[in-house]
Amino acid sequence: MKVAVLGATGFTGEKLVDILLSHRQVDLTYISSRTEEPILYSKLFPRFLKKTDLKCEPHNIEKAAALSDIIFLSLPHTVSMEYACRFLKLGKKVIDLSADYRLSDSALYKKFYKVDHSDKTNLKRAVYGLPELFRSKIKKADLIANPGCYPTSMILALYPLMKESLIKAEVIVDSKSSITGAGRKAVIDYHYSNISDNLWAYKAFNHQHTPEVIEILKAKTGKSLNLKFVPHVVPIGAGIYSTSYVSFLKKQTFSKVKALFQRYYKDEPFIRVNQELVKLKNVVGTNFCDIGFSLDETGKFGVIVSCIDNLLKGAAGAAVQNMNILLGIDEKTGL
Ligand SMILES: NC(=O)c1ccc[n+]([C@@H]2O[C@H](COP(=O)([O-])OP(=O)(O)OC[C@H]3O[C@@H](n4cnc5c(N)ncnc54)[C@H](OP(=O)(O)O)[C@@H]3O)[C@@H](O)[C@H]2O)c1
């Protein structure tokens, strides 16, 4: 199989290139960005010297489609949907890392992303690419909407509890994200002098990932979630750490909750259910999601903590996991 990465100069695109170059069962044949002229990728990113002679090309849909079977779009939202529909017309499989195909409701897309969805037809055929919940659909998909990084950490933490009707609908989630979560473009807030030794909350209760979590959990559990989500930026290079505050409908014990998570995720290659509250560094540089929890003395209130590398399990790693599922090969290949 031949694969292409559009948006190869971005944070997630660079990670994808790295993983795909050493993947045993695919050839990376085309990479692109808004460069005016083709330029050696190793010139842009010297760590790829002697690893690849590929040139980063100006985006060219026809050329990418001629050279590859599966296309990864590591592009900003609103840009992806302009490209995805054209690749699908050419019979290619698309794995989109942006938010463009994650929400099935185009009105919600407009509300949170401030533009009309321009490809509503393909919105219906998109499969949400969270393998732990949608593996059988991913196997047959033409268009995979790779999940957002915050939603991956939250959905995996809340799914077993909601599916088993153990918690009340109102859940507070406090997440901390690394600065790579916002992409490679220059932003004044992220200048070293602003971000170092600093931390702040943003988009409290109206972050664009909120409806994605609600919609997916409703689809998979039938339950409504009243999500109060407050994200934060912390001055670290990689990772997302989410703390979900839940109220149990009936008294629970630590061992019962742990047994539930272990039962749901025992066969999942990339989910580790922990005995203790988890630490971010254990997942940075990996495709794992680590989950831990703690209950208060009443057994009616608890926190679920879940963490991932935002650029791997939260983006490029998940995208390759999805590709492996599409190809019917070992899900862990290259990861
Ligand atoms: N960063 C994360 O942790 C993360 C996690 C999950 C999902 N995502 C999503 O994945 C996508 C890529 O994220 P990223 O962090 O890799 O972004 P990024 O670092 O900003 O990279 C974006 C890439 O898209 C290209 N690009 C930018 N504007 C474009 C335009 N108008 N037309 C065509 N190409 C354009 C850039 O090319 P140039 O080099 O030419 O500018 C670059 O290669 C986004 O939709 C993001 O929301 C990101």
Side-chain angles (χ1 to χ4, degrees):
M1 275 285 167
K2 297 190 172 83
V3 300
V5 176
L6 277 75
T9 51
F11 282 155
T12 61
E14 186 194 352
K15 284 278 178 206
L16 268 173
V17 170
D18 198 16
I19 300 171
L20 294 168
L21 282 175
S22 52
H23 194 289
R24 293 191 310 274
Q25 282 170 270
V26 297
D27 283 330
L28 179 61
T29 49
Y30 177 90
I31 54 178
S32 68
S33 74
R34 287 178 298 179
T35 175
E36 282 173 15
E37 297 289 330
I39 176 168
L40 272 176
Y41 197 62
S42 57
K43 206 161 187 181
L44 295 170
F45 300 103
R47 73 189 185 94
F48 288 97
L49 253 176
K50 295 200 175 178
K51 279 184 157 184
T52 181
D53 293 329
L54 271 177
K55 285 186 173 163
C56 185
E57 314 253 346
H59 295 308
N60 180 325
I61 289 176
E62 286 68 32
K63 188 167 180 186
L67 289 174
S68 40
D69 311 294
I70 298 177
I71 316 287
F72 291 91
L73 299 178
S74 272
L75 301 170
H77 64 270
T78 72
V79 178
S80 265
M81 59 192 173
E82 289 168 24
Y83 286 73
C85 57
R86 294 173 62 192
F87 281 117
L88 290 166
K89 238 184 216 158
L90 293 167
K92 302 294 157 183
K93 301 236 178 206
V94 174
I95 302 177
D96 177 29
L97 279 77
S98 88
D100 282 353
Y101 296 95
R102 293 184 202 147
L103 294 171
S104 65
D105 181 348
S106 58
L108 268 185
Y109 182 86
K110 181 162 190 189
K111 181 173 171 197
F112 283 90
Y113 293 93
K114 313 292 177 215
V115 286
D116 279 321
H117 204 288
S118 63
D119 187 25
K120 294 193 182 80
T121 315
N122 287 316
L123 205 51
K124 293 192 192 88
R125 73 202 266 205
V127 170
Y128 192 73
L130 190 60
E132 292 76 9
L133 271 64
F134 294 96
R135 188 169 279 113
S136 56
K137 286 190 171 173
I138 293 168
K139 276 183 192 157
K140 295 177 253 157
D142 299 317
L143 172 58
I144 295 175
N146 221 55
C149 42
Y150 285 124
T152 295
S153 68
M154 286 189 258
I155 294 169
L156 293 173
L158 297 175
Y159 172 61
L161 298 171
M162 287 179 64
K163 185 78 184 159
E164 299 294 322
S165 306
L166 292 190
I167 54 173
K168 290 187 185 165
E170 184 167 299
V171 174
I172 296 170
V173 183
D174 167 307
S175 293
K176 276 97 185 166
S177 169
S178 70
I179 53 175
T180 51
R184 196 161 173 258
K185 62 195 170 305
V187 177
I188 288 179
D189 269 349
Y190 290 180
H191 284 185
Y192 180 76
S193 53
N194 292 334
I195 190 84
S196 64
D197 303 322
N198 207 349
L199 137 76
W200 57 80
Y202 68 105
K203 293 190 181 172
F205 310 123
N206 63 7
H207 189 276
Q208 65 275 15
H209 286 169
T210 307
E212 182 179 329
V213 176
I214 293 171
E215 194 181 89
I216 295 302
L217 283 169
K218 174 86 184 178
K220 285 304 285 187
T221 68
K223 316 266 167 25
S224 298
L225 175 68
N226 180 3
L227 177 62
K228 308 289 182 199
F229 173 46
V230 183
H232 299 71
V233 189
V234 292
I236 54 173
I240 279 191
Y241 195 103
S242 292
T243 306
S244 302
Y245 298 79
V246 299
S247 298
F248 295 105
L249 289 161
K250 286 187 193 146
K251 188 174 178 231
Q252 298 295 329
T253 62
F254 180 86
S255 51
K256 265 201 229 164
V257 175
K258 187 177 169 212
L260 172 73
F261 275 88
Q262 281 176 331
R263 176 158 64 82
Y264 267 72
Y265 293 136
K266 69 178 186 318
D267 296 325
E268 287 302 337
F270 293 113
I271 303 198
R272 300 187 295 198
V273 177
N274 284 253
Q275 183 67 32
E276 294 158 6
L277 296 171
V278 298
K279 295 201 170 98
L280 185 66
K281 267 200 180 172
N282 293 328
V283 297
V284 171
T286 80
N287 197 47
F288 287 115
C289 173
D290 279 4
I291 300 178
F293 25 77
S294 184
L295 274 64
D296 76 353
E297 67 283 358
T298 68
K300 299 275 291 215
F301 191 74
V303 287
I304 319 299
V305 287
S306 48
C307 58
I308 55 171
D309 184 318
N310 57 301
L311 297 177
L312 291 168
K313 185 63 176 158
V320 172
Q321 192 180 349
N322 282 323
M323 177 193 76
N324 291 341
I325 294 171
L326 259 186
L327 296 177
I329 61 176
D330 181 352
E331 227 167 279
K332 303 188 291 303
T333 312
L335 296 169

